[in-house]
Amino acid sequence: YRQMKSTLMKRLISLVREPLVHFLLIGAGLFLLFNVTSGPAGDQPDRIVVTSGQVKEMEAKFTRTWMRPPTKEELAGLIETYVRDEIYYREAVAMGLDRNDPTIRQRMRLKLEFLLEDLSTVAEPGDDVLTAYLQEHPDKFQMEARASFRQVYLNPTKRQNMEADATHMLARLKRGAAPESVGDSTLMQGEYRMATRSDIAGQFGEPFARQLVTLAPGTWTGPLYSGLGGHLVKVTEREEGRLPELAEIRDQVEREYLAQRRQELKDTTYQKLRAGYEVVVEPPASAEGRSGEAIAASRPEESGQ
């Protein structure tokens, strides 16, 4: 008996320490608070109480929408609409119309997830935590390479020998010829200022961008090829891609970190709730009308989840 009592006490202490229990206790408190503040309607299904707070909210919402307070007749209409909604809602629930409705199920899931998110308070992280998160997730915060450059377009439909024409034009450009006097007409810009690699790739294609961001500034070179043809280019300024310091993007890193932590807490809560259910997935009936064996019948610990 003493051993059983000791085991029971250990389990109770362990249960009290579980974050999920804290969530559920707070949720139960909110539920009780709602029932107390919403009046005795829950105890009397045939009674609807429209509180003064609800009336004030109706008035405020009407005023925000129409930029004036409602008349007595309009306010009475708002109240009657609320009563009609409540009556239809209660009758629908009494008839079981809320069951097996995917839209209602989804809304209930979202409401519970919002509640859990509100309850999933995360301590404000320090710089050491955020620095570690930044280093662990560089792809989220990497600053792209940028380049300023000029380009001269070579239209492949007008060039029988693109390479030879490019060599001749490069010589002219290096001798100081104006870029506007060399090459073929195009609707593309002749000059780009500190364009990111992704912006360059969006206009010229990834192979072009990959080559351009490696070029040293100061010299005309080419041709580099895009989907439109050839291009002679001169990089005038370039910044390498880099992972910024925490001080430069602290707010962004903190937002990403907190969002991930909240999601982790929600996932943990779900797994604890999931552990209390046995899930059985039955296969469709066979041609002979037999349902066959269940596809799955497990708890998370049995399935390795």
Side-chain angles (χ1 to χ4, degrees), residues 4 24 38 42 50 73 83 98 100 107 121 128 131 135 159 161 170 188 198 211 219 236 269 276 303:
M4 183 174 64
L24 295 180
S38 62
V50 184
E73 292 77 12
V83 172
D98 58 325
N100 300 320
R107 288 184 64 84
T121 55
D128 53 342
T131 298
Q135 297 295 330
R159 306 286 170 181
N161 191 329
L170 279 174
M188 303 179 72
S198 59
Q211 294 179 71
T219 304
T236 57
T269 301
S303 59

Side-chain angles (χ1 to χ4, degrees), residues 179-197:
E180 297 80 6
S181 66
V182 181
D184 302 314
S185 61
T186 176
L187 296 178
M188 303 179 72
Q189 296 174 224
E191 185 173 6
Y192 293 81
R193 294 291 303 166
M194 297 309 290
T196 64
R197 173 172 172 162

Side-chain angles (χ1 to χ4, degrees), residues 143-147 195-198 200 213 238-242:
M143 295 180 68
E144 292 187 81
R146 295 172 176 266
T196 64
R197 173 172 172 162
S198 59
I200 298 170
V213 296
R238 192 185 75 184
E239 287 183 1
E240 298 285 352
R242 65 184 180 88

